[in-house]
């Protein structure tokens, strides 16, 4: 079986490993935006091209006689790459453009949940002018969030008390969006602890993955600019230390209800990974956002634990037969840490060599934004390499990940606080204070 893998970050490296670990005989063909040596090692062919151009992807799929495609990042989903591949008879893991609006439009998702009475959303309004903005901010008081209504790599969201210190600052951001002709959503700010709950989805049936907590801020103590995610952890019981069983149940129920709503709305099901970004609050689980793909770094946590056959799961998602799948994960804790270029995310150094030769467990190393220059591995400007530690407890997994990430040399930094006992205790204390 020829499998087309679209994308070339650490998430796609984790996907490539999961394909490689499958019992099914398959050849991986990767359509990539950068040269990822980890993926290149695992695949028959890696071609560089514009992964957001449906025509180019379809052409590569034809050349490689691929019969199934797995789409890693969100931009190809937004560009209709899944639609184009289905049109030529290729099975796709990753939703079509209409269904991917779940990630590409904040307003679409809020409206969908409201229309189908899925009760986990904030009080919100969508705007395309300044009319009513001041009034709605006044209604929300100090707890508001302003979100640009489109894909912005996490940079379109500004949270009160975090990025916005007053209604005047909020109004200025809204004006900026209106001037650019953009729509935006203003919504109630939730207080609590965030977690990611991803589900494999075939349109009808969902099989849930372990919960994961990501760390979006660049610096220790959750300070500094937002990033794609500096690191993540998951626990051996597939929940998180600050969550109750009922929180996990609520997140499952919300993902199931959302998949059902999408099918009802579009007359066809969502096939791919449904990623709910949730907040556990003093008042139950709330939905912050949906993503229409595996999280990065979350994919490294969950795929490192997957016991079941990944290709089988992918075929079943595409065929609509997930009901019969036995999806199992090891009962181990994981910690993933990214090493990122100095200056990341605003002013990253680029082209500088890094040395990964001191990594002890190469199975726990995932290449991301790297390149080869004069035979040397160099930083390409975004998150560089990720490492995963696996153990019986989060704290033990953290020690492994910390040792491994510290062994990578070059002009890099990482967050040493992710997954430590102190930080986990803080999260538990915070949640306890809200319940
Ligand atoms: P999003 O792109 O919608 O996930 O937003 C990025 C980040 O902004 C989230 O990970 C949260 O930390 C924060 N955020 C977004 N919406 C809310 C909300 N309604 N309440 C609190 N924080 C939020
Ligand atoms: N880890 C956050 C994301 O993948 O969007």
């Amino acid at each position: 079986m020829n499998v087309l893998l679209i994308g070339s970050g650490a998430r796609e490296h984790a996907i490539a490993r999961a394909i490689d670990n499958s019992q099914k005989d398959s050849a991986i063909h990767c359509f990539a935006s950068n040269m990822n040596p980890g993926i290149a090692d695992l695949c028959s062919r890696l071609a560089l091209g514009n992964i957001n151009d449906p025509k180019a992807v379809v052409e590569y799929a034809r050349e490689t006689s691929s019969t199934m495609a797995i789409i890693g990042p969100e931009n190809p989903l937004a560009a209709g790459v899944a639609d184009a591949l289905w049109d030529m008879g290729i099975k796709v893991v990753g939703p079509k453009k209409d269904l991917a609006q779940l990630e590409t439009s904040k307003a679409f998702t809020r409206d969908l949940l409201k229309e189908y009475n899925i009760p986990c959303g904030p009080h919100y309004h969508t705007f395309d002018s300044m009319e009513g903005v001041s009034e709605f901010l006044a209604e929300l008081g100090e707890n508001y969030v302003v979100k640009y209504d489109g894909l912005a790599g996490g940079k379109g969201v500004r949270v009160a008390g975090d990025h916005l210190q007053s209604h005047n600052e909020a109004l200025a951001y809204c004006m900026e969006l209106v001037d650019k002709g953009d729509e935006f959503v203003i919504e109630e700010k939730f207080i609590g602890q965030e977690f990611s709950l991803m589900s494999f989805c075939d349109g009808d049936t969902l099989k849930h993955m372990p919960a994961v907590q990501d760390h979006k801020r660049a610096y220790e103590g959750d300070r500094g600019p937002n990033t794609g995610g500096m690191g993540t952890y998951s626990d051996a019981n597939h929940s998180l230390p600050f969550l109750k069983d009922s929180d996990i149940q609520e997140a499952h129920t919300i993902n199931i209800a959302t998949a059902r709503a999408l099918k009802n709305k579009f007359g066809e099901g969502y096939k791919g990974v449904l990623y709910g970004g949730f907040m556990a609050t003093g008042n139950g689980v709330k939905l912050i956002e949906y993503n229409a793909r595996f999280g990065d770094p979350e994919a490294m946590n969950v795929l490192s634990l997957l016991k079941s056959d990944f290709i089988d799961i992918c075929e079943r998602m595409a065929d609509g037969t997930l009901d019969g799948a036995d999806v199992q994960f090891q009962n181990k804790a994981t910690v993933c840490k990214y090493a990122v270029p100095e200056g990341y995310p605003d002013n990253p150094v680029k082209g500088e060599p890094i040395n990964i030769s001191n990594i002890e467990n190469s199975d726990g190393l995932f290449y991301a934004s790297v390149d080869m220059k004069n035979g040397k591995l160099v930083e390409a400007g975004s998150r560089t390499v990720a490492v995963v530690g696996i153990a019986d407890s989060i704290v033990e997994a953290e020690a492994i990940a910390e040792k491994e990430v510290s062994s990578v040399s070059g002009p890099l930094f990482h967050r040493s606080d992710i997954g430590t006992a102190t930080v986990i205790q803080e999260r538990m204390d915070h949640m306890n204070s809200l319940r």
Side-chain angles (χ1 to χ4, degrees):
M1 178 178 190
N2 288 308
V3 180
L4 169 61
L5 172 61
I6 298 160
S8 46
R11 166 182 47 209
E12 289 75 27
H13 190 183
I15 294 172
R17 262 204 195 124
I19 299 172
D20 192 54
N21 286 337
S22 165
Q23 295 300 311
K24 303 209 177 190
D25 197 16
S26 62
I28 308 172
H29 304 277
C30 181
F31 200 52
S33 33
N34 68 295
M35 174 61 196
N36 181 317
I39 299 178
D41 259 1
L42 296 169
C43 67
S44 307
R45 207 180 132 200
L46 181 151
L48 296 178
N50 180 0
I51 64 170
N52 304 318
D53 175 3
K55 269 201 197 129
V57 178
V58 160
E59 179 62 34
Y60 185 68
R62 204 174 269 136
E63 255 171 50
T64 55
S65 306
S66 294
T67 53
M68 182 167 74
I70 302 172
I71 302 177
E74 61 275 25
N75 284 316
L77 299 171
V81 166
D83 307 59
L85 288 165
W86 278 113
D87 283 348
M88 62 177 285
I90 296 176
K91 296 177 186 180
V92 187
V93 174
K96 292 184 182 176
K97 188 175 174 174
D98 276 350
L99 291 103
Q101 285 180 87
L102 200 58
E103 172 162 4
T104 59
S105 166
K106 311 273 187 204
F108 169 84
T109 299
R110 291 297 181 215
D111 292 345
L112 183 83
L113 268 60
K114 193 155 125 189
E115 183 182 345
Y116 287 87
N117 294 314
I118 305 173
C120 55
H123 195 33
Y124 76 99
H125 273 299
T126 305
F127 298 91
D128 59 6
S129 76
M130 294 305 287
E131 204 184 316
V133 169
S134 294
E135 290 79 357
F136 190 52
L137 284 173
E139 200 180 318
L140 293 178
E142 293 312 304
N143 286 329
Y144 56 88
V145 181
V146 183
K147 298 182 170 187
Y148 158 69
D149 188 22
L151 287 182
K155 296 209 165 60
V157 176
R158 304 220 181 145
V159 181
D162 237 347
H163 317 93
L164 300 170
Q165 304 307 333
S166 65
H167 282 189
N168 276 345
E169 282 184 27
L171 289 169
Y173 179 48
C174 296
M175 285 288 283
E176 196 183 308
L177 295 171
V178 171
D179 285 347
K180 279 194 280 184
D182 293 335
E183 288 204 4
F184 56 96
V185 174
I186 302 182
E187 64 185 36
E188 172 192 353
K189 176 186 171 181
F190 294 127
I191 314 282
Q193 282 295 323
E194 284 184 63
F195 65 99
S196 311
L197 198 302
M198 302 182 288
S199 309
F200 295 113
C201 182
D202 72 353
D204 294 301
T205 299
L206 283 82
K207 300 276 176 173
H208 310 292
M209 302 181 220
V212 181
Q213 190 174 44
D214 188 16
H215 297 69
K216 293 217 164 114
R217 299 299 204 93
Y219 313 139
E220 319 237 316
D222 293 321
R223 285 176 299 110
N226 272 334
T227 70
M230 293 294 289
T232 31
Y233 61 82
S234 72
D235 207 350
N237 63 359
H238 300 165
S239 181
L240 291 163
F242 50 84
L243 294 180
K244 298 191 291 193
D245 289 351
S246 60
D247 295 325
I248 297 283
Q249 278 311 322
E250 276 183 62
H252 289 174
T253 304
I254 295 166
N255 279 1
I256 292 167
T258 300
R260 195 172 295 143
L262 282 171
K263 181 150 187 198
N264 183 282
K265 191 165 191 72
F266 292 107
E268 71 176 311
Y270 178 106
K271 293 174 185 291
V273 173
L274 188 65
Y275 165 148
F278 297 102
M279 178 94 79
T281 73
N283 194 18
V285 170
K286 306 293 179 186
L287 181 85
I288 296 287
E289 64 161 354
Y290 266 112
N291 292 322
R293 52 174 171 82
F294 274 116
D296 184 348
E298 288 91 335
M300 278 80 90
N301 301 83
V302 298
L303 291 176
S304 298
L305 296 175
L306 184 66
K307 288 202 284 190
S308 311
D309 193 292
F310 183 65
I311 294 262
D312 182 54
I313 295 172
C314 288
E315 284 189 297
R316 285 172 180 278
M317 276 193 274
D319 291 341
T321 55
L322 197 58
D323 199 16
D326 177 31
V327 178
Q328 303 244 10
F329 294 87
Q330 286 181 66
N331 281 103
K332 294 272 186 190
T334 62
V335 173
C336 178
K337 297 200 188 206
Y338 256 114
V340 303
E342 277 174 10
Y344 175 80
D346 297 329
N347 259 313
V349 299
K350 276 189 200 160
E352 293 295 324
I354 60 162
N355 182 350
I356 52 149
S357 62
N358 292 322
I359 288 279
E360 275 176 20
N361 172 22
S362 57
D363 287 344
L365 173 72
F366 300 86
Y367 294 86
S369 171
V370 291
D371 231 324
M372 297 300 288
K373 204 164 87 183
N374 305 325
K376 281 194 172 146
L377 191 63
V378 299
E379 294 169 90
S382 196
R383 294 175 295 178
T384 313
V385 293
V387 301
V388 173
I390 306 178
D392 289 329
S393 69
I394 297 174
V395 169
E396 289 165 280
E398 192 278 334
I400 299 169
E402 182 60 28
K403 181 162 180 271
E404 292 284 64
V405 76
S406 304
S407 79
V408 180
S409 57
L412 298 157
F413 74 97
H414 70 275
R415 277 186 58 173
S416 60
D417 61 341
I418 293 170
T420 55
T422 317
V423 166
I424 288 170
Q425 190 59 50
E426 276 170 21
R427 308 262 146 111
M428 291 164 71
D429 292 346
H430 181 221
M431 226 33 251
N432 285 336
S433 74
L434 297 173
R435 295 207 202 260

